């Protein structure tokens, strides 16, 4: 529709305005010093080295093949929080409302719920070798981000439990 690739749009509408560097491709295939994902094989976790066959299919690349540092992810989520609170952000406040709360329970990539008069937006990401969980609580002006370099049910449980503990602390 735009005549541009999703990578070009990512650069124009996310990287440039926020001063961050969202990259495409498996992190450790870009540099071996980047995080390595792990998956469970039998009773052991196996680190997927850069030569491993596992990759994101092109059909899912726009939704699942972006990676960024934790510091850049914090900047991205801070922008989401500002937008939800009606403050100056990359997009108009109404756009953030649509992304997070267009429909009850699930909007455009975000699960949403209300707990004790707090609106909470949640988003999880995993390709089976990493797991990330973020919660944005606009009334409290906080966001919680938890990441793991494994994507099994134990990693997911650990991320969700840690996020709950952090949310309750604040």
């Amino acid at each position: 529709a735009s005549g541009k690739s999703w990578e070009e749009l990512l650069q124009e509408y996310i990287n440039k305005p926020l001063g961050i560097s969202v990259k495409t491709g498996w992190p450790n295939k870009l540099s071996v010093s980047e995080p390595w994902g792990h998956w469970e094989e039998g009773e052991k976790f196996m680190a997927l080295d850069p030569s491993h066959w596992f990759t994101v299919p092109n059909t899912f690349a726009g939704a699942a093949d972006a990676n960024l540092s934790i510091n850049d992810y914090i900047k991205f989520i801070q922008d989401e929080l500002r937008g939800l609170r009606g403050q100056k952000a990359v997009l108009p406040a109404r756009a953030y409302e649509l992304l997070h709360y267009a429909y009850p329970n699930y909007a455009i990539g975000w699960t949403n719920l209300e707990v004790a008069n707090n609106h909470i937006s949640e988003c999880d990401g995993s390709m089976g070798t990493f797991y990330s969980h973020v919660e944005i609580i606009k009334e409290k002006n906080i966001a919680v981000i938890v990441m793991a370099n494994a994507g099994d049910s134990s990693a997911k449980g650990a991320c969700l439990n840690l996020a709950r503990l952090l949310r309750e602390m604040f």
Side-chain angles (χ1 to χ4, degrees), residues 40-146:
E40 195 172 4
E41 284 195 8
E43 298 291 317
K44 295 177 19 179
F45 277 97
M46 183 177 98
L48 300 187
D49 67 59
S51 65
H52 197 275
W53 62 266
F54 190 77
T55 187
V56 177
N58 287 339
T59 52
F60 297 117
D65 202 20
N67 70 78
L68 64 165
S69 71
I70 186 67
N71 290 332
D72 283 352
Y73 194 52
I74 289 168
K75 290 177 186 177
F76 177 79
I77 296 301
Q78 286 173 330
D79 183 74
E80 297 284 321
L81 178 58
R82 282 191 304 272
L84 284 170
R85 293 179 55 81
Q87 299 169 349
K88 184 176 175 7
V90 171
L91 301 172
R94 180 72 182 128
Y96 293 95
E97 283 295 320
L98 286 170
L99 288 169
H100 291 261
Y101 298 106
Y103 304 101
N105 303 317
Y106 186 80
I108 304 172
W110 292 87
T111 302
N112 61 68
L113 60 146
E114 190 173 333
V115 177
N117 296 318
N118 290 302
H119 293 85
I120 302 173
S121 295
E122 297 181 340
C123 186
D124 295 331
S126 178
M127 283 302 296
T129 59
F130 292 95
Y131 191 84
S132 68
H133 177 76
V134 62
E135 298 180 8
I136 299 175
I137 308 160
K138 67 180 183 178
E139 289 83 5
K140 290 186 174 186
N141 195 27
I142 65 168
V144 174
I145 301 169
V146 183

